[in-house]
Amino acid sequence: MAPIQPSKDSLDRRKVVGINAETVTNITSTDFPGHHPGEDNSWSLSKFKKNLQVQFHQNDEHDAVFSLIGVDASIANAFRRILIAEVPTLAIEKVYVENNTSVIADEVLAHRLGLVPLKGAVEGLKWLKWFVEAVPEAGFEGMERTDYNTVVLHLKVKCTRKPNADSNATEPEDKYINSSVYSRHIEWQPQGMQAEYFGDIPVQPVSPNILIAKLRPGQELDMIMHAHMGIGADHAKFSPVATATYRLLPTITITKPIIGADAIKFQKCFPPGVIDLERVTAQEANSGDPIFRGKQGEEKAVVKDAMRDTVSREALRHKEFDGKVVLGRVQDHFIFSVESTGQFPSDTLFLESVSVLKYKAKRLLRALDELER
């Protein structure tokens, strides 16, 4: 018996999660073999390639919004978790304090420095290797610090009085030099081939105006910092994203026309830009539909951009809209929002997460091959 070929409308209905006033329905995946009798739902690479789509809606340096379509929720969530915790980035790991006469304790200052996001040439960042520290008590030798695993930074700032400051000045910036230590005071000291790989984009803080400490005359900071590659699973300072989230594409289906004052009220139930108002045309008024009879020129509600909807269910609270609107979410349409901390462009981060997942899959296959032997 040949496999049953379901219609496109039937497949589309299966993919929509039902959003009701107090419940959510159709939340389970139905694309596995045997779920629908007679249908061939076996996974195939060709079918996966055909259904997979990536659509960008916003692609700025630090912010990207894109749709990942045609994948299971487990895959989408794997990308989100990898973005947060497994894409390697550069951050300050070791702080060697030569002099610290500020009011901030050494360990607190070191923690603050570690949280300062760094940036540099992407080619140089990808050239850097992991640094594995020695553990003498465990008998583990580790690695030596070299130009390909350690970035050296220097912070040396001393606060002094301004020689020609106004005697009536009250603000520290007007009375003192270097009263505040900012991230722009951190200087990169290239080692070995780092100057070649980082080229014209040196290692530096993402923002020059991050406040690190405040000083008064006679106080000084002098410290050397070593930055290494790491992942967010070890420490949040290595996470390359400020946020990495996704949501399902909302669907809004108006099953019966909503006209006049109800249309204006219906529009206010959604965020701006989701519902638009159009005039009832003469053709609709003369179509024989009793709902439109005599309504020419009046406003009716139409769906303009469902993606803007937050699925608040506000429209389901009002009796006048009962049976006129159906809300849902598409199961395999994930709208990702990725906000980079500045070390990598936001769209590059997603590609890096794909590379990490690919490597993890290959490692799993190797492990399975070893088990078979």
Side-chain angles (χ1 to χ4, degrees), residues 164-170 174-175:
N164 299 321
D166 187 349
S167 58
N168 296 322
T170 57
D174 299 330
K175 298 167 61 178

Side-chain angles (χ1 to χ4, degrees), residues 189-200:
Q189 297 179 335
Q191 308 292 317
M193 298 180 65
Q194 290 179 1
E196 176 183 345
Y197 278 94
F198 282 93
D200 298 332

Side-chain angles (χ1 to χ4, degrees), residues 332-344:
D332 66 345
H333 190 135
F334 301 90
I335 304 172
F336 271 81
S337 178
V338 178
E339 181 181 343
S340 171
T341 57
Q343 189 163 129
F344 291 99

Side-chain angles (χ1 to χ4, degrees), residues 366-373:
R366 286 198 302 268
L368 292 173
D369 290 339
E370 291 176 1
L371 285 175
E372 290 180 355
R373 297 194 191 103

Side-chain angles (χ1 to χ4, degrees), residues 143-179:
M143 302 169 61
E144 293 183 357
R145 288 177 172 83
T146 66
D147 57 340
Y148 62 81
N149 63 24
T150 303
V151 173
V152 180
L153 303 164
H154 193 199
L155 176 62
K156 187 172 184 178
V157 182
K158 185 175 182 178
C159 181
T160 58
R161 296 183 183 273
K162 284 187 176 180
N164 299 321
D166 187 349
S167 58
N168 296 322
T170 57
E171 296 297 324
E173 292 78 8
D174 299 330
K175 298 167 61 178
Y176 313 128
I177 300 173
N178 293 330
S179 61

Side-chain angles (χ1 to χ4, degrees), residues 68-232:
L68 184 64
I69 306 169
V71 299
D72 188 75
S74 59
I75 302 298
N77 198 47
F79 286 134
R80 182 190 68 84
R81 292 175 66 90
I82 290 172
L83 279 167
I84 294 172
E86 296 188 58
V87 174
T89 57
L90 182 70
I92 295 171
E93 180 71 4
K94 297 290 183 182
V95 178
Y96 301 93
V97 180
E98 300 287 342
N99 191 11
N100 175 19
T101 54
S102 71
V103 297
I104 302 179
D106 292 352
E107 58 272 23
V108 176
L109 190 57
H111 182 262
R112 290 177 66 87
L113 289 168
L115 294 175
V116 174
L118 304 174
K119 67 178 181 179
V122 175
E123 295 77 11
L125 294 170
K126 291 184 177 181
W127 170 74
L128 290 173
K129 305 297 188 295
W130 284 73
F131 171 74
V132 181
E133 191 171 9
V135 185
E137 57 271 19
F140 186 73
E141 294 183 358
M143 302 169 61
E144 293 183 357
R145 288 177 172 83
T146 66
D147 57 340
Y148 62 81
N149 63 24
T150 303
V151 173
V152 180
L153 303 164
H154 193 199
L155 176 62
K156 187 172 184 178
V157 182
K158 185 175 182 178
C159 181
T160 58
R161 296 183 183 273
K162 284 187 176 180
N164 299 321
D166 187 349
S167 58
N168 296 322
T170 57
E171 296 297 324
E173 292 78 8
D174 299 330
K175 298 167 61 178
Y176 313 128
I177 300 173
N178 293 330
S179 61
S180 297
V181 181
Y182 292 98
S183 54
R184 59 175 171 267
H185 292 115
I186 297 175
E187 296 181 357
W188 173 48
Q189 297 179 335
Q191 308 292 317
M193 298 180 65
Q194 290 179 1
E196 176 183 345
Y197 278 94
F198 282 93
D200 298 332
I201 308 178
V203 177
Q204 57 188 311
V206 170
S207 171
N209 300 317
I210 300 174
L211 182 64
I212 296 174
K214 291 190 175 182
L215 303 179
R216 291 299 178 263
Q219 295 180 346
E220 181 180 0
L221 291 179
D222 186 3
M223 51 192 63
I224 297 173
M225 296 156 284
H226 287 180
H228 300 299
M229 299 297 290
I231 58 175

